[in-house]
Amino acid sequence: MCGIAGWIDFKNDIKDKYEIMEKMSRTLVPRGPDEKGCFYSEHCDLVHRRLVVIDPENGKQPLCKENYTICYNGELYNTKELQRELEELGYTFKGHSDTEVLLTAYMKWGEGCLEKLNGIYAFGIWDNARQQFFMARDRAGVKPLYYSVVDGGIVFGSEPKALLAHPAVKPVIDSEGIAQIMLLGPSVKGDSGIFRDIKQVPPGCFARLSKGVFSLECYWKPKAKPHTETVEETAEHLAYLIRDSVTRQLVSDVPLCTFLSGGLDSSIISAIAAEEYGKKGEVLNTYSVDYKGNRENFRASMFQPDEDAPWIVKMSEFIGSNHVNVVIDTPELADALLPSTIARDAAGMADVDSSLYLFCGEVKKRFTVAVSGECADEIFGGYPWFRNEEMLNRKGFPWAASTEERYGLLRKDLLRDISPVDYVEGLAEATVNKADYLDSDSPVQRKMRGMFMLNFYWFMQTLLTRKDRCSMAHGLEVRVPFCDHRIAEYAYNIPPEIKFYREREKGVVRLASEKILPADVAWRKKSPYPKTHNPDYTKLMLDSFRKVLGDSDCRLYEIMDREMLKELEQSEGAAFNKNWYGQLMTTPQMFAYLIQLDHWLRSYDVVIER
């Protein structure tokens, strides 16, 4: 994994723009602390910050081959197969790095190489002979790729901060950016970088820049296909795909561990990994996160029915792993809100971000690569809103029922041309309308396909952004086997009666896991990413929020209504009677989000366009 950035300019000679490119490169040091590289030419400059994971000697970047130069962030999990196929076609290789294989695949197949890739990636390739630039992002959007169209070409990079280091890209937000922050946040539109001048290449899309003409196209989305397998056959097929994905993602030339929460998804991954390590006579290392005071203060809820701790012990003993439990105290959780904001380049998931930020920092002390269970819930229907009738049939996004309350916090002179409910519901409807259907689909199956699209392209992207930024801020690569596009394609077509086998969330995944997990773990009710239950955290967030409001240069007042902020503070959050976002962002997380928002506005010197 790495950090990439570049500048393509067809109007000017930029081969001597070292100072600008070095400034962009420095913003990405945490993503790639091991090495740096650069490429300068008349119309294309590229910089690379490397985290060494595969083939230390031959994976240096930017990598040049004939007339082509690549700048790449990611990991290919079918490198061996691709290299073998290309060798049979007459190509030769210096080593076994996926960077060289990817570049050679592009040289052979052009944009068609994307159909052959299994992995997570964001990359740019300069074709000097054609004077053309090509960049692409993986199907699930695991790796980030931002760009800004500037006079004469584009500026691109792994994170917005890299683009903002270029003089042509300004930290300005317009009404669209404000709407995203206040009506959708921490979610972001798939093509947006929040800032007016910054866009994202959406998941499964690629872009071309040729002689100053920029174009963006999508090469992948889930396709509807008939599902003819029985429940048992589906579980067997699924077990094969999951095992194959996990096994492929264990390849590393540096130390690797897994995250283990005691839940279904991380337990499956850790059990498979431990089995593979055992074949080599090695012991798997696993990590979990918890919070000081959680055992005393835990209260069961619909979203979090029990504690993780006993299940973690059970699974670690079952697979025989060397386990480390990272315990985070309340003050450090609060303190990490600010650096996690900088890591994400935006206000994020509050302490859900800051805890992961701290957790990844601890893991990095011993490991460079981790494997995690994210994204199974979005793909297989693990959340309450997949089956709760009220949430399932709610317009807009089922995890966000606070649009009008959020809008009520805004200054009345903002978003005059945006109807908040129409804006949010319109974005959700447009996403559902992209779903592919079969004529034979039942109404329930059609509904599930729409829910898949909403979760895959919105909720899952929020979690993947969190995972990428909080881990790469410490130079830790985190892999997510459930994001394998083969699993997503297969899951998209599993009928609800099979997907929710035994009337359970992710029922067919549970059935598929029975041969490798204890039965009670396989059928344990879903519990989300753990958050603190310590009441001290709520008090600390309220005190911090009051301090932010009391600062003479409080930036929140530029976006939010002063009286509404005062009411929030005086009522200790009771004036906002909905969850801010999803299952985990309740009252203390709402305060934390607003603290992050103020810090972001200050730190990035954000200009608000009215």
Side-chain angles (χ1 to χ4, degrees), residues 545-578:
F545 180 64
R546 284 172 171 151
K547 183 177 183 300
V548 167
L549 294 185
D551 285 344
S552 58
D553 61 343
C554 175
R555 296 292 306 272
L556 291 179
Y557 295 130
E558 298 176 36
I559 293 177
M560 302 174 69
D561 182 87
R562 186 178 291 267
E563 290 304 313
M564 288 303 301
L565 286 171
K566 185 178 179 181
E567 186 176 348
L568 266 186
E569 178 261 315
Q570 290 181 342
S571 69
E572 300 187 354
F576 194 96
N577 59 3
K578 297 282 184 73

Side-chain angles (χ1 to χ4, degrees), residues 255-259 277 284-287 363 367 369-372 476:
L256 177 148
C257 66
T258 68
F259 292 170
Y277 269 55
L284 177 71
N285 290 273
T286 54
Y287 275 78
V363 175
F367 294 91
V369 179
V371 187
S372 180
L476 176 72

